[in-house]
Amino acid sequence: MRNRWMSFLLALVLFAPATARADESDLLELPEMEVTAQTSDDLSIDADLLKRNQALDMKDVFRNQSSIEIGGGSRAAQRIYVRGIEATNLNVTVDGAGQGMNLFQHRGNIGGINPQLLKSVDVQTMASADQGAGALGGSIRFVTVDAQDLLDAGKTAGFIARVGYSSVDRGDVIGGTAFGQAGKHLGVLFDYSKSTFKPYKDGKGNKIVGSEGEDKSIFFKISLLELAGHSLKFSVEHQKDEGLFTGDWDYTAANAQNPTHQVRERETYVFEHRFRSAGNELIDWKFNSYRNESTLDRGSEINSNGYGIDARNTAKFTVGSTRHALTFGLDWSSEEGKVVGNPTNIDLENRGIYLQNRMTISRLLFSFGARYDDYDTTFGKVDISGSEISPNVGAEIDLGWGFAGFASYGEATRAKGIIPIGWLATVTDDAVVNQVAGKKNYGKKMQPESSKTHEYGVRYAATDRFLAEDRLRAQISLFETEIDNLIAQVGGSRGAPVTGFYNDDLIITKGYEVKLGWGLRGFDTNLSFTHADTEDKDGNAISFTRRKAASTGDTLVWDSFWNLNQTLGLGYTLKHVSSLSRDDVKRDGYTLHNAQIVLTPPFFNGLTLTVAAHNLLDERYSSQVSSGDDDSATPEPGRDIRVGIAYKVQF
């Protein structure tokens, strides 16, 4: 079946005009209205924010976001939750390369991405047809830098040397990037980065067992941009982390105090071709293919090999008084997982066809589409196959005077489950399906996982509102996501065999977000607040649940940065998470203060000195999305003073 679908897919790739997702810069232009992929509430993080935070891991990448929480303590145990939904239920890609399933517990998927390589991070909470398969809770798209992004006008080559130090774990970072451009179009980039760190200390000065290690990253990228309308990119990334790690279970338990030596490696190859016809708006084509291989050695070796293709075309045209950006595409993804020495194979394959139209009518942007997914999943001798159609619809209207209203509805589906590959390899030959009493599909055929998301709100944007050239932004949005039929296992933990599979009960996350931002020339201040209730089918708060969801208290983040001049920049970030007491979930709140200084001395051209102080008041706390309660959950790092020096030379 796989060969048949591959032939079909390649035929469509070769003969159908198909392209890239129409992003904001490519979509229809309205004088006062920002056109987005699906909702006005998407989140984007740029490289400047990562640099001033001296980002070393995923906690640093999302440090300034109220809707995203990361628990687990150490780098190896980190889990990401978006509005209470764990990242296992999101579509996570690096330059379009799907990051696959968890290898063991949470190792794999979202971890092991070097922040030094990132140009941007986009988080989308609404499902759209061209977002990719399996985006139950949305998607996270990591985009790496091109050589051309690092070169100033008139320069053809350069390098960046980096060193850094973090006090909380006595860690050090070294790295370098060489980049160059041949002619007007061809760029080449090579990056090497290495960080070592000892066990970090919490706010009381206690060392956290199982949090020491070493990370290495090698990255190579060729980018041929805008040559007669064509752009080609090819990248290779090898990432490795190893150390004495523990899991994120009850930190006070004896087994959590006995770390094991673990080695995790990821190797990713990505090829991308894009063609935009200068004289024909009907042709805007993008083709992306990847291979993503991950391994985890923790005494036994767990492997995942993923492959994928996405091909799409966005045709722009006018019909009467309406302007359209119509995206048609297809994608294919496959993943094979196993434990070395174990005969059980895990195979997942998904074939998708999608159509998404974004249409403007005067002040109205109307977006609608659907994707068809045909899936085959094999866990040992258990097969799950079928097909589903997932629709979406959204609208955004310019209300005048700087106001806009938006509303969206989207569905998503998948059938790969939330079970780590290391557990799936233990599935017995006589494993049963939906034989767990009390679950909704007891005695029935396995159903695919599905989600439904509603989101709507109002936003406001204006300039020159209070002072000349100032910038004002405000938004309030309400959301609700239902995730149903997650494919879970019977058994599997602590070496026990997996003896069955079942569709788990409904998970609901709902709430609201408020965002407010103001800026004037080199100063920007942003306030965000998120309230999210994460509940089961009976309306009870969900406690920390691996690979599913967790409840958190209300979260407020206030972030400000002031470029005083070309030499000095000052930043401050406040994060407050309120205490949580609902049903059986009770967790303490906490308040964190972070500060940053960015210095580019005029007497030393190309040198940048950054000092970032995280948890400045040395508060002892644990994340509310970490396993356990306040007495047993792994504490987060205490005060961490980071110093980074980067020296950039261009020729």
Side-chain angles (χ1 to χ4, degrees):
M1 178 175 290
R2 177 170 300 174
N3 292 333
R4 173 172 59 85
W5 273 96
M6 277 296 295
S7 300
F8 168 69
L9 183 63
L10 291 174
L12 284 175
V13 168
L14 292 173
F15 296 107
T19 57
R21 165 188 181 270
D23 56 30
E24 290 185 14
S25 62
D26 299 328
L27 288 176
L28 318 173
E29 296 181 359
L30 294 177
E32 298 181 5
M33 186 172 171
E34 178 185 356
V35 179
T36 65
Q38 186 66 19
T39 171
S40 293
D41 206 28
D42 296 347
L43 169 66
S44 184
I45 302 168
D46 62 23
D48 289 338
L49 180 61
L50 304 182
K51 290 175 182 176
R52 73 174 171 97
N53 277 324
Q54 287 295 287
L56 299 174
D57 56 22
M58 289 299 101
K59 184 181 294 294
D60 298 325
V61 170
F62 299 106
R63 185 177 292 277
N64 295 42
Q65 313 307 321
S66 64
S67 60
I68 300 175
E69 183 65 22
I70 299 179
S74 69
R75 299 189 198 183
Q78 289 179 354
R79 299 178 186 271
I80 296 180
Y81 290 78
V82 179
R83 294 176 173 174
I85 300 298
E86 209 260 5
T88 301
N89 303 294
L90 278 64
N91 184 320
V92 180
T93 60
V94 178
D95 290 336
Q99 293 305 288
M101 301 175 67
N102 290 321
L103 299 175
F104 185 84
Q105 289 286 22
H106 53 280
R107 300 301 304 279
N109 185 273
I110 199 74
I113 298 173
N114 182 7
Q116 301 288 342
L117 302 175
L118 296 177
K119 176 165 60 177
S120 65
V121 183
D122 295 312
V123 181
Q124 191 175 30
T125 54
M126 280 297 304
S128 60
D130 51 2
Q131 187 176 334
L136 301 181
S139 65
I140 301 178
R141 293 188 294 272
F142 297 92
V143 180
T144 61
V145 68
D146 299 324
Q148 290 88 337
D149 298 318
L150 302 177
L151 285 166
D152 294 338
K155 305 297 183 180
T156 59
F159 69 85
I160 301 173
R162 304 184 301 270
V163 294
Y165 175 78
S166 53
S167 65
V168 76
D169 55 7
R170 291 172 291 164
D172 59 75
V173 180
I174 61 170
T177 307
F179 50 93
Q181 183 170 325
K184 296 181 179 180
H185 307 284
L186 180 63
V188 180
L189 180 149
F190 176 81
D191 181 273
Y192 172 80
S193 181
K194 176 183 176 181
S195 63
T196 59
F197 43 95
K198 295 179 173 60
Y200 70 78
K201 296 180 180 180
D202 66 12
K204 295 294 185 181
N206 302 310
K207 288 186 178 180
I208 304 303
V209 176
S211 62
E212 61 188 284
E214 177 182 90
D215 294 350
K216 292 181 181 179
S217 173
I218 299 174
F219 181 72
F220 174 75
K221 190 174 190 179
I222 299 175
S223 49
L224 180 69
L225 304 181
E226 300 301 331
L227 177 60
H230 293 271
S231 293
L232 293 172
K233 296 183 181 181
F234 174 73
S235 63
V236 180
E237 181 182 3
H238 180 84
Q239 194 277 338
K240 178 180 180 180
D241 64 73
E242 63 178 308
L244 289 174
F245 301 138
T246 62
D248 62 346
W249 51 75
D250 186 343
Y251 182 71
T252 60
N255 53 13
Q257 299 294 321
N258 294 300
T260 59
H261 183 262
Q262 300 181 27
V263 181
R264 195 197 66 83
E265 296 185 75
R266 175 175 63 86
E267 196 160 82
T268 301
Y269 300 83
V270 179
F271 171 77
E272 179 180 299
H273 170 240
R274 185 168 189 177
F275 175 68
R276 288 186 282 192
S277 175
N280 187 352
E281 285 192 318
L282 295 176
I283 300 177
D284 185 355
W285 152 274
K286 185 178 178 182
F287 173 80
N288 179 283
S289 64
Y290 70 86
R291 177 189 175 189
N292 192 77
E293 180 178 351
S294 297
T295 63
L296 172 65
D297 188 344
R298 52 184 309 276
S300 59
E301 185 176 308
I302 307 169
N303 293 332
S304 167
N305 290 292
Y307 306 85
I309 293 174
D310 180 86
R312 58 180 73 185
N313 185 72
T314 298
K316 300 176 183 178
F317 54 91
T318 301
V319 178
S321 60
T322 64
R323 177 74 173 157
H324 299 257
L326 178 64
T327 300
F328 168 74
L330 50 86
D331 50 40
W332 168 83
S333 61
S334 172
E335 184 174 6
E336 301 174 353
K338 68 177 302 179
V339 174
V340 175
N342 190 309
T344 302
N345 288 324
I346 313 303
D347 292 289
L348 303 95
E349 187 172 0
N350 191 92
R351 301 158 290 272
I353 300 175
Y354 54 87
L355 189 70
Q356 188 76 34
N357 189 25
R358 297 174 175 93
M359 175 177 64
T360 55
I361 309 172
S362 183
R363 292 174 176 268
L364 175 68
L365 165 67
F366 187 53
S367 177
F368 57 93
R371 61 175 293 124
Y372 170 83
D373 289 294
D374 184 87
Y375 54 86
D376 286 305
T377 300
T378 302
F379 299 149
K381 293 187 177 181
V382 174
D383 294 318
I384 305 169
S385 61
S387 59
E388 294 289 333
I389 295 177
S390 304
N392 70 82
V393 62
E396 183 173 328
I397 184 168
D398 180 3
L399 301 171
W401 303 286
F403 289 93
F406 58 91
S408 298
Y409 170 79
E411 297 182 8
T413 189
R414 71 174 190 188
K416 72 176 186 179
I418 60 174
I419 314 157
I421 290 174
W423 293 11
L424 286 169
T426 67
V427 62
T428 59
D429 290 343
D430 58 351
V432 297
V433 170
N434 277 334
Q435 295 300 312
V436 178
K439 296 297 180 181
K440 56 181 294 184
N441 291 326
Y442 178 72
K444 298 180 181 179
K445 179 183 176 181
M446 185 71 71
Q447 298 298 310
E449 301 160 295
S450 64
S451 70
K452 298 177 180 179
T453 299
H454 309 258
E455 189 160 350
Y456 49 94
V458 177
R459 63 181 175 85
Y460 174 78
T463 57
D464 306 317
R465 178 55 61 194
F466 302 116
L467 297 171
E469 299 182 0
D470 74 350
R471 306 173 295 275
L472 178 64
R473 304 167 303 279
Q475 179 171 297
I476 181 169
S477 56
L478 291 83
F479 60 86
E480 180 174 333
T481 297
E482 299 181 356
I483 299 180
D484 203 5
N485 293 324
L486 286 176
I487 298 175
Q489 86 290 338
V490 179
S493 65
R494 305 193 185 282
V498 173
T499 59
F501 302 92
Y502 64 95
N503 287 129
D504 210 349
D505 292 326
L506 186 71
I507 293 173
I508 303 172
T509 177
K510 57 184 178 181
Y512 59 91
E513 292 184 358
V514 180
K515 298 180 181 180
L516 179 64
W518 183 81
L520 178 65
R521 292 184 283 275
F523 176 76
D524 277 286
T525 185
N526 295 280
L527 186 73
S528 62
F529 175 85
T530 300
H531 170 89
D533 293 321
T534 309
E535 303 172 342
D536 61 21
K537 62 183 180 63
D538 298 319
N540 299 315
I542 294 177
S543 61
F544 167 86
T545 310
R546 291 180 178 89
R547 297 172 294 280
K548 295 181 184 178
S551 293
T552 60
D554 294 342
T555 302
L556 181 144
V557 174
W558 177 32
D559 179 66
S560 301
F561 191 75
W562 185 15
N563 275 311
L564 283 78
N565 47 49
Q566 293 182 343
T567 300
L568 181 63
L570 302 175
Y572 168 75
T573 307
L574 167 73
K575 181 175 183 179
H576 173 74
V577 180
S578 65
S579 60
L580 179 64
S581 179
R582 185 181 170 201
D583 300 323
D584 295 329
V585 184
K586 293 177 172 53
R587 298 296 298 270
D588 289 340
Y590 53 89
T591 301
L592 304 177
H593 302 269
N594 307 319
Q596 310 91 30
I597 301 174
V598 180
L599 180 65
T600 53
F603 54 82
F604 204 135
N605 188 37
L607 183 70
T608 301
L609 171 66
T610 304
V611 179
H614 301 313
N615 192 4
L616 192 59
L617 300 185
D618 206 17
E619 179 161 348
R620 187 185 189 278
Y621 73 103
S622 59
S623 170
Q624 294 177 351
V625 296
S626 288
S627 174
D629 55 28
D630 290 316
D631 294 328
S632 62
T634 304
E636 296 293 325
R639 181 187 299 115
D640 188 11
I641 308 299
R642 297 183 185 177
V643 179
I645 301 175
Y647 179 52
K648 182 178 181 179
V649 177
Q650 298 184 79
F651 311 97

